[in-house]
Amino acid sequence: MYDVIVVGTRVAGSPLAMLLARKGYRVLAVDRATFPSDTPSTHYIHQAGLGMLKSWGLLDQVVASGCPPIRHLNFSYTDIVIKGFADIAADGIDAVYCPRRTVLDKILVDAAGNAGVEVIHGFSVTELVFDEDRVVGIRGRIRDGVEQEFRAGLVIGADGSNSTVAKAVGTEVYEGSPAACFVYYSYYDGVDWGMQHRTGFGEQQFAAWPTNDGLSLVAVMRKRDRFRDFRTDPDAGVQEIVDQIDPELGARLRDTGKRVEQFRPMLYPDNYRRRSYGPGWALVGDAGYHKDPFTGWGITDAFKYAQLLADLVDAGLSGARPLDEALAEYQVERDAQSASTYELTQSISELSLTPYYDSVFRATSYDEDYSKKFFGLIAGIYSPDKYFGEQELTELYEKVDFPVDARHVTNDGVTA
């Protein structure tokens, strides 16, 4: 009998299992994959996420993997260009990293095992075990082996957007919106562009950043209705998008860039929040909450809400408060803390800016100090309430002499 079973051991499941084991609980973690193994990902870890890795004692391993530090970021939205970096975080983190998932996930899985988690890989969960309406365990098997049953006081699904746990408990989506785009990405040699996040006219985007093994990830996005045409010749499609957004980088891609792995196409699921707790169960990571990859917040949010859930599960299992009450607070807190990021991601991932965001980002590009606040917002170390604050925006518009008829201080179409 375990205290907790975690289904899924990637960027949400492994940290959660590790944290609970470090608190002294008996934890089982299972995953159908074996490690190291790959999974679709933006790779990007914001400073806030790196701060969590540091607090867990794992950041040094990411750095030691050879993943290059990034200390300058290049963002553009059509003709709006914002360059720079956030101030150093309170914990001294002065860079961001984009490790390959074969590297990052293995570090996290090993950390869980080292903390005392019993880890079973290659294990597919076939069903949950119920006692009346309460989840009390899982059943599954390793490949074609004999079905096994494990029981626990709490089963947590960290098994992604197609979560087996979420389906088994019949949880519902209570907030959501359709996904806007598709993503194609691969790894390239000879692409030394630093970090680029460039959205151009014609509702298209490319991104690039250095990762492990001296390679760079290059990704492109377009609206989903263009997916069928794009996939007929994705190499030509990538070249076309980079050419149209930044001809200089397009020429460099043509002259020195070499794709060294197959493309990873992604038709992302819709944006959603699912009910993420119930009798004997909870959901974390993409199993409970997913948003478009455009802002690259998936890994950092997985870390953040794994920590939140671990703390509240501890409160429930230790007897400090009723477990079901603690799980309910987890969902409320997750939604409150992620509200601004969720709304921003939905708004700008359409690859065209609303008049509000156009005015805010355009004015930001004219001011070095506010640009640092922008990158602090991206890093997760500057408050969205301040960056988008009405008083702060009014002062910014005055400082950069922004046209009065284009000043938007609220996200409802009202101009100052």
Side-chain angles (χ1 to χ4, degrees):
M1 178 74 175
Y2 296 92
D3 296 306
V4 179
I5 295 173
V6 179
V7 180
T9 62
R10 291 196 183 269
V11 293
S14 281
L16 175 64
M18 175 194 71
L19 291 166
L20 290 171
R22 287 180 177 180
K23 293 176 184 291
Y25 295 105
R26 189 178 182 216
V27 182
L28 170 67
V30 302
D31 199 303
R32 69 180 62 186
T34 58
F35 294 82
S37 60
D38 210 353
T39 190
S41 175
T42 64
H43 298 37
Y44 193 90
I45 309 179
H46 299 74
Q47 282 163 276
L50 295 170
M52 306 202 76
L53 285 175
K54 184 175 182 178
S55 72
W56 300 337
L58 303 179
L59 179 57
D60 286 348
Q61 294 182 51
V62 173
V63 174
S65 75
C67 185
I70 301 170
R71 296 186 173 92
H72 185 83
L73 310 180
N74 299 280
F75 279 73
S76 69
Y77 300 87
T78 59
D79 60 335
I80 302 169
V81 178
I82 308 175
K83 298 181 179 181
F85 198 72
D87 290 330
I88 296 175
D91 49 16
I93 295 173
D94 67 346
V96 295
Y97 293 86
C98 302
R100 292 196 64 156
R101 293 296 295 272
T102 50
V103 173
L104 176 64
D105 293 4
K106 184 65 163 57
I107 290 171
L108 297 172
V109 167
D110 288 348
N114 292 337
V117 177
E118 184 178 338
V119 181
I120 305 176
H121 287 143
F123 184 95
S124 296
V125 175
T126 54
E127 61 181 333
L128 301 186
V129 181
F130 288 84
D131 183 357
E132 296 183 347
D133 66 342
R134 192 170 195 88
V135 176
V136 295
I138 62 172
R139 293 192 185 98
R141 56 174 55 90
I142 298 176
R143 298 180 184 85
D144 296 327
V146 176
E147 185 176 71
Q148 302 177 67
E149 178 177 305
F150 302 100
R151 296 207 170 204
L154 179 65
V155 174
I156 300 175
D159 48 343
S161 58
N162 293 317
S163 170
T164 297
V165 176
K167 292 174 184 176
V169 298
T171 191
E172 72 279 3
V173 171
Y174 57 87
E175 181 180 357
S177 63
C181 299
F182 68 85
V183 181
Y184 256 78
Y185 77 88
S186 189
Y187 302 93
Y188 288 73
D189 194 10
V191 174
D192 186 19
W193 304 346
M195 192 281 183
Q196 306 282 338
H197 195 281
R198 312 286 297 281
T199 305
F201 294 102
E203 297 181 327
Q204 55 189 3
Q205 188 250 15
F206 79 84
W209 38 78
T211 186
N212 297 89
D213 304 320
L215 301 177
S216 289
L217 179 149
V218 177
V220 297
M221 297 178 69
R222 273 181 173 164
K223 288 296 188 71
R224 289 171 71 97
D225 60 5
R226 303 177 71 180
F227 177 71
R228 181 171 295 181
D229 290 338
F230 186 92
R231 68 181 181 179
T232 60
D233 190 350
D235 281 306
V238 170
Q239 185 67 60
E240 178 186 50
I241 291 173
V242 179
D243 279 338
Q244 291 180 0
I245 296 176
D246 190 320
E248 179 183 346
L249 290 182
R252 290 169 63 182
L253 175 63
R254 186 178 297 103
D255 292 343
T256 64
K258 179 182 179 182
R259 180 170 60 84
V260 298
E261 296 188 22
Q262 65 182 7
F263 278 111
R264 275 78 162 176
M266 296 187 291
L267 281 171
Y268 261 72
D270 294 340
N271 305 287
Y272 58 77
R273 297 186 191 276
R274 291 175 178 147
R275 178 178 171 86
S276 296
Y277 72 96
W281 62 271
L283 303 175
V284 70
D286 285 352
Y289 155 57
H290 177 268
K291 59 196 172 305
D292 195 283
F294 186 83
T295 50
W297 267 93
I299 295 174
T300 299
D301 272 358
F303 291 170
K304 183 176 181 179
Y305 302 119
Q307 178 73 68
L308 174 66
L309 182 56
D311 291 341
L312 288 168
V313 167
D314 177 40
L317 293 180
S318 68
R321 60 189 300 186
L323 177 59
D324 290 352
E325 177 186 288
L327 295 179
E329 182 178 335
Y330 155 69
Q331 179 173 297
V332 170
E333 281 297 310
R334 180 201 66 189
D335 289 359
Q337 292 179 26
S338 64
S340 60
T341 303
Y342 187 69
E343 190 277 329
L344 174 64
T345 300
Q346 290 185 92
S347 296
I348 67 177
S349 62
E350 295 281 344
L351 303 183
S352 60
L353 296 179
T354 64
Y356 169 73
Y357 285 114
D358 186 285
S359 66
V360 173
F361 296 151
R362 193 175 297 276
T364 295
S365 72
Y366 299 152
D367 186 76
E368 183 178 350
D369 290 335
Y370 224 81
S371 292
K372 287 186 178 181
K373 295 177 182 179
F374 170 83
F375 289 112
L377 172 75
I378 297 297
I381 60 177
Y382 190 79
S383 168
D385 293 338
K386 289 186 176 181
Y387 178 80
F388 293 109
E390 292 185 29
Q391 179 178 340
E392 288 81 359
L393 290 178
T394 298
E395 292 174 355
L396 171 64
Y397 293 141
E398 289 293 331
K399 181 179 179 181
V400 302
D401 196 24
F402 203 70
V404 173
D405 60 355
R407 299 180 183 183
H408 291 257
V409 297
T410 58
N411 195 15
D412 57 6
V414 178
T415 57

